[in-house]
Amino acid sequence: MAHTEPRIVIVPGWCNSGPDHWQSLWAHSLPQAERVEQDDWLTPKRADWVPTLEALILSRPEPVIIVAHSLGCITTSHVGPEAAARIQSALLVAPADPERRAHLADFAPVPYQALPYRSILVASSNDPYCPVRLAGAYARAWGSEFVRLQNAGHINTESGHGEWPLGRALLQSLVQDMAWGAQPRTVAA
């Protein structure tokens, strides 16, 4: 059985991810990566961002692995059932707190239902944009595995996260999980 590389959809947050951000570096180094492009990165509107992400997910029939950062995590949590059914798994990094940030308020309230796919939520103990306790509450509500980093800031370029090897290893675990799930299973008699 031929193994095909999974489709990886990169979902940046507010203001997009700059050229040295790990999401941008991964987008250039992973041949199967696609990056969602929003029309307005500075004034995010849920009614625009969520359908744009859904359209990219649904543009091809293959299942996807989401790699989201900040407001991209919240955008992903708002995706409707048809697009969510295509998501195999998600790496959700440094989620935003739209309920306490006026320029992100259109994304509140954040959905507090379990996501219908495997997810890993990575948060930092000193993220200036989302308290780690709130990130933990998101993880519990969404059914995500929770990875808490000490003093990693917003897990972006400003906090020293360029290539971010730990994140790459977490993504690889999702890719391997997807490949494993695609294998035929045999049951011992």
Side-chain angles (χ1 to χ4, degrees):
M1 174 191 272
H3 172 65
T4 57
E5 289 297 313
R7 192 172 160 218
I8 296 172
V9 173
I10 294 177
V11 188
W14 179 59
C15 294
N16 201 346
S17 297
D20 298 322
H21 191 287
W22 57 266
Q23 281 188 312
S24 299
L25 298 173
W26 294 8
H28 293 298
S29 66
L30 296 168
Q32 69 276 31
E34 300 171 69
R35 183 184 187 121
V36 68
E37 289 296 335
Q38 299 292 352
D39 288 332
D40 186 349
W41 290 106
L42 299 179
T43 315
K45 299 279 182 253
R46 184 170 68 182
D48 297 331
W49 278 39
V50 174
T52 299
L53 175 57
E54 290 174 337
L56 180 58
I57 292 168
L58 295 170
S59 67
R60 298 205 332 252
E62 302 90 358
V64 302
I65 296 175
I66 295 285
V67 176
H69 182 256
S70 193
L71 189 59
C73 299
I74 306 307
T75 303
T76 300
S77 74
H78 281 291
V79 162
E82 184 183 4
R86 289 269 176 88
I87 299 173
Q88 179 75 30
S89 56
L91 179 60
L92 307 169
V93 181
D97 179 4
E99 296 178 16
R100 289 181 186 82
R101 301 263 172 218
H103 58 282
L104 308 180
D106 194 49
F107 289 78
V110 173
Y112 273 79
Q113 293 85 31
L115 300 174
Y117 45 82
R118 179 181 175 205
S119 60
I120 300 171
L121 190 148
V122 183
S124 168
S125 64
N126 68 339
D127 188 330
Y129 302 107
C130 182
V132 73
R133 289 180 62 190
L134 178 59
Y138 290 159
R140 284 187 300 280
W142 296 342
S144 303
E145 299 162 50
F146 188 53
V147 177
R148 179 188 167 140
L149 304 181
Q150 278 302 112
N151 302 320
H154 195 49
I155 314 174
N156 59 4
T157 309
E158 289 74 22
S159 61
H161 294 84
E163 268 295 329
W164 192 38
L166 172 63
R168 202 59 185 256
L170 292 170
L171 173 60
Q172 189 58 38
S173 77
L174 294 175
V175 170
Q176 288 172 338
D177 187 52
M178 185 175 178
W180 179 259
Q183 299 301 316
R185 305 202 179 219
T186 56
V187 178

